[in-house]
Amino acid sequence: MCGIVGYSGEDEAAEKIYRGLKKLEYRGYDSAGIATAGNPTVKVEKGTGTIDEAINDISEAEIDGNVGIGHTRWATHGGVTDYNAHPHRSRSGDIAVVHNGIINNYEELKEEHLSGHDFRSETDTEVIPRLIEEKHRELNDFHRAVEEVVDMLEGSYAVVAVKDSGEMAAFKESSPLALGISDGELFLASDVTPFLEHTDKAVFLEDGDIVRIEGGNYEIKNNREIIEREVNHIDWDAEEASKEGHDHFMQKEINEQPDTVKRAVFQDHSDVKKAIEMIEEADTVYLSGCGTSSYAADLGAKYLREAGYDVISEQSHEMEYWNNHVKDDDLIIAISQSGETADLLSMLEGVDAPVLSIVNVVGSTLARKADHTMYINAGPEIGVASTKAFTAQLAVLKLIGMTAQSSLKEARESLIKSAGKIPEVLEDNEDTVEEVSEYLQKQEHVYFIGREKGFEVAKESSLKLKELSYIHSEAFPGGEFKHGTIALVEEGTPVVAFMRDEGLEDIFSNAKEAESRGADIIGVGRKNMGDFKHFFEVPEDENSEILEVAIFQLLAYRTAVKRGHNPDKPRNLAKSVTVK
């Protein structure tokens, strides 16, 4: 989810790249850098922190040249250090690269093609300029070298490379990249915001595209054939563009989930293997988080129990009161989007057991404290209410559980298949989401019920609705709902039931019992078993909780908007709870 800017024209590149990076800072802000090609050298200025911290004074930076690239980073491979900041250069320094995404086979590429190289960073990116340089030595042609390297890469990426001669190339696979076209100058960027002040003409590159830029001209190839891509007229302002056509960041982040779930499951085999080894060596495994992450922990506990492990899940602020029971040979799996959650960090202070962290922010306090970390790679989440980070957490937890039972390949394929269903599920339920949000916006109370994994989905769905729409909402196990709370049901009370295969007949009975007391029952499942007021259909899928959650994220979003609330910034809430 990093931000990329490239420029080729007649003006000084560094200033235009700097201004463009400032408009992409929402995509990543742990480090930044700029490289320019001022024949005969490639000059680089980079560092940790925000763009202004990494590049102290752009007017005085010694990075002159008419061609250049820039990057603002959200770390995935390697911590937040000057060396890990982009751009990365080749061994000789003649080629520089910026990269958004993940190169899954970077370790294999190092071993097979770059065994004699002394790498300066911990990133997956550094293999790219070094491979291009090696191929350039063979072919004596920068652009042919780029084409050869693209065929070697596996993963999700958008890459822009520049040579000291001023030649520039870009290529993408499952990661956004746009080409901006103006008189005498060309731009490349992760979205159109960096070049809107210069041009409203853009080409949205597609997977497999390789762009060649020289002397103000460009050429696009796909499958080694020259092709034409449509030049679009962009009628957006900068803020609209950063949301990529969506009304709110939350809406954008909901729709990003097919990609973020896929990114989450492309974990290095060694990281998954290490996590499973830690689990197998532990007497008892404890999963802990707060808020949405605590529901991911609850589901993660069920995934690991299915794999045969002894697992306990507890919210961090409660676990802190009895963490003295955690033994040195146990394991804590700590889950957090930010890695800065105060209650979670405080709970960990009182234990000596090893910690496996599942976190989004590289270099966060939790990541530094953990014995081993698996990053969910969701990218910056701007909306306060977690959406894509939650489903990415589920994906990583389920990847571990399924790999322990079968293989990483099978687990990965299963989750990728489920991720691909998210757009279809949201589209198929579009009319129902609209009807139910119209109905819910007038309600004062809503109850969610579920059994087994359906209970965790009910809790997360209820949380999203209450924190965005400010409607009172609670979730209960289906079997517990009738032990007291059903007394609150009266004519017209909405009750949402998750009709999953586990305990299907029992949860249906719970829903009908509420209906007999006057409730308006709303169902979620593979098929409508009865006379529900509304029903959301979810296809059969072994990871169906991800699909169910996506529907209710969208429902909460729509309900909040209908009630006149800003879903990106719900009242009284913060993105990262850093106080107890």
Side-chain angles (χ1 to χ4, degrees):
M1 192 64 183
C2 308
I4 287 172
V5 179
Y7 173 80
S8 176
E10 299 178 356
D11 294 338
E12 284 293 323
E15 180 64 38
K16 290 195 172 184
I17 293 168
Y18 168 80
R19 292 207 305 269
L21 289 177
K22 292 290 287 182
K23 292 171 183 173
L24 286 182
E25 200 158 17
Y26 75 94
R27 298 181 71 93
Y29 34 77
D30 59 44
S31 57
I34 294 174
T36 57
N39 198 357
T41 62
V42 171
K43 307 176 184 72
V44 174
E45 182 94 8
K46 66 178 184 176
T48 58
T50 65
I51 293 162
D52 286 329
E53 289 169 341
I55 305 166
N56 294 322
D57 189 341
I58 190 64
S59 63
E60 296 183 6
E62 296 182 4
I63 42 176
D64 59 308
N66 305 121
V67 177
I69 53 178
H71 189 268
T72 180
R73 184 174 186 240
W74 181 271
T76 52
H77 286 71
V80 182
T81 67
D82 289 346
Y83 281 142
N84 289 339
H86 296 218
H88 289 286
R89 283 191 279 192
S90 60
R91 206 174 192 178
S92 67
D94 294 344
I95 295 168
V97 159
V98 291
H99 164 222
N100 173 18
I102 297 172
I103 305 301
N104 297 322
N105 62 332
Y106 80 102
E107 290 181 329
E108 293 93 327
L109 291 171
K110 281 184 177 181
E111 291 175 8
E112 294 175 19
H113 303 282
L114 303 167
S115 59
H117 286 239
D118 181 19
F119 287 84
R120 302 193 73 194
S121 77
E122 305 166 292
T123 70
D124 54 336
T125 302
E126 197 177 356
V127 300
I128 303 173
R130 291 173 181 250
L131 287 169
I132 294 173
E133 184 174 73
E134 292 295 315
K135 288 296 179 181
H136 185 266
R137 284 201 183 99
E138 294 176 20
L139 303 169
N140 197 31
D141 185 312
F142 174 67
H143 294 288
R144 283 182 60 201
V146 167
E147 290 177 2
E148 293 290 325
V149 170
V150 170
D151 289 342
M152 301 166 70
L153 303 179
E154 297 175 9
S156 165
Y157 50 79
V159 176
V160 183
V162 66
K163 196 174 183 308
D164 55 357
S165 59
E167 296 167 277
M168 180 183 286
F171 47 94
K172 75 171 289 287
E173 184 69 38
S174 301
S175 196
L177 197 61
L179 172 69
I181 303 167
S182 185
D183 293 337
E185 54 187 8
L186 296 166
F187 299 84
L188 287 156
S190 300
D191 64 44
V192 300
T193 52
F195 55 74
L196 276 181
E197 65 177 291
H198 306 291
T199 181
D200 59 2
K201 295 177 182 177
V203 174
F204 294 102
L205 300 174
E206 298 185 12
D207 288 350
D209 284 356
I210 302 176
V211 185
R212 172 182 182 142
I213 293 177
E214 281 187 69
N217 299 309
Y218 74 92
E219 175 186 273
I220 301 175
K221 285 186 177 182
N222 199 299
N223 289 324
R224 303 291 179 102
E225 298 291 331
I226 297 173
I227 60 168
E228 297 289 333
R229 292 269 182 241
E230 180 185 1
V231 178
N232 298 272
H233 173 74
I234 308 299
D235 187 21
W236 295 344
D237 62 27
E239 183 177 359
E240 287 175 324
S242 66
K243 295 173 184 172
E244 297 179 7
H246 298 88
D247 293 330
H248 300 91
F249 281 107
M250 182 181 180
Q251 183 187 35
K252 172 176 175 283
E253 288 158 3
I254 290 170
N255 290 330
E256 285 176 345
Q257 289 177 116
D259 290 332
T260 54
V261 170
K262 290 176 185 176
R263 286 207 303 270
V265 301
F266 277 111
Q267 301 285 331
D268 288 342
H269 181 270
S270 59
D271 285 332
V272 180
K273 182 181 178 182
K274 174 66 174 176
I276 293 173
E277 287 175 353
M278 294 176 77
I279 292 167
E280 290 180 342
E281 291 170 2
D283 282 354
T284 302
V285 179
Y286 296 89
L287 283 88
S288 190
C290 297
T292 288
S293 294
S294 75
Y295 304 148
D298 291 342
L299 279 166
K302 291 182 176 179
Y303 301 153
L304 294 179
R305 286 188 201 114
E306 289 173 348
Y309 300 112
D310 184 11
V311 184
I312 296 171
S313 179
E314 180 69 278
Q315 290 176 318
S316 307
H317 41 76
E318 294 303 309
M319 186 172 172
E320 183 175 5
Y321 295 111
W322 54 267
N323 60 5
N324 58 312
H325 293 281
V326 179
K327 304 185 300 296
D328 292 357
D329 49 7
D330 293 332
L331 171 70
I332 294 180
I333 301 179
I335 306 169
S336 171
Q337 187 284 134
S338 67
E340 304 296 344
T341 307
D343 287 304
L344 176 58
L345 297 174
S346 179
M347 181 272 290
L348 293 176
E349 288 295 329
V351 297
D352 294 321
V355 175
L356 166 63
S357 70
I358 295 176
V359 66
N360 195 30
V361 181
V362 174
S364 61
T365 303
L366 176 58
R368 295 195 305 271
K369 285 180 175 290
D371 297 275
H372 181 57
T373 294
M374 293 184 69
Y375 293 108
I376 64 172
N377 299 325
E381 192 174 58
I382 307 301
V384 167
S386 183
T387 52
K388 63 179 183 176
F390 176 68
T391 50
Q393 288 170 347
L394 295 190
V396 171
L397 288 162
K398 198 150 201 180
L399 184 77
I400 296 170
M402 294 175 76
T403 301
Q405 296 178 80
S406 55
S407 70
L408 177 60
K409 182 176 183 291
E410 289 181 28
R412 185 177 285 161
E413 287 175 351
S414 171
L415 286 156
I416 289 173
K417 185 177 179 181
S418 300
K421 294 179 183 179
I422 295 174
E424 178 185 344
V425 168
L426 293 179
E427 183 178 352
D428 289 348
N429 286 281
E430 170 68 28
D431 291 343
T432 308
V433 168
E434 187 62 24
E435 291 168 6
V436 177
S437 62
E438 185 68 32
Y439 162 73
L440 287 181
Q441 69 156 322
K442 303 166 187 174
Q443 305 301 315
E444 294 183 1
H445 309 281
V446 183
Y447 299 107
F448 290 77
I449 57 174
R451 286 176 179 261
E452 222 278 322
K453 296 184 187 75
F455 175 42
E456 279 72 41
V457 179
K459 288 192 287 186
E460 173 60 14
S461 300
S462 173
L463 176 63
K464 284 293 159 286
L465 184 66
K466 76 172 73 171
E467 64 185 347
L468 296 177
S469 71
Y470 315 149
I471 297 169
H472 171 247
S473 176
E474 300 296 338
F476 300 89
E480 190 67 21
F481 184 63
K482 59 183 177 289
H483 290 283
T485 306
I486 199 168
L488 301 176
V489 173
E490 53 191 21
E491 196 68 32
T493 300
V495 175
V496 181
F498 287 87
M499 313 294 296
R500 296 173 58 87
D501 289 344
E502 310 101 327
L504 180 59
E505 292 183 3
D506 291 333
I507 195 67
F508 180 66
S509 175
N510 299 145
K512 296 300 286 185
E513 188 174 2
E515 184 185 38
S516 70
R517 270 72 173 174
D520 291 337
I521 55 173
I522 300 168
V524 191
R526 284 196 284 128
K527 64 177 182 177
N528 193 337
M529 294 174 58
D531 189 22
F532 288 91
K533 183 178 181 70
H534 301 283
F535 197 87
F536 296 99
E537 291 194 5
V538 178
E540 184 174 3
D541 190 279
E542 62 181 331
N543 309 302
S544 60
E545 53 271 25
I546 291 174
L547 307 179
E548 293 161 354
V549 162
I551 291 172
F552 281 86
Q553 292 170 347
L554 184 60
L555 178 64
Y557 166 78
R558 291 276 181 83
T559 306
V561 171
K562 282 181 169 60
R563 287 170 67 93
H565 307 315
N566 180 353
D568 288 340
K569 298 178 180 178
R571 69 188 182 198
N572 304 332
L573 299 178
K575 186 65 184 170
S576 178
V577 182
T578 57
V579 294
K580 292 183 69 176

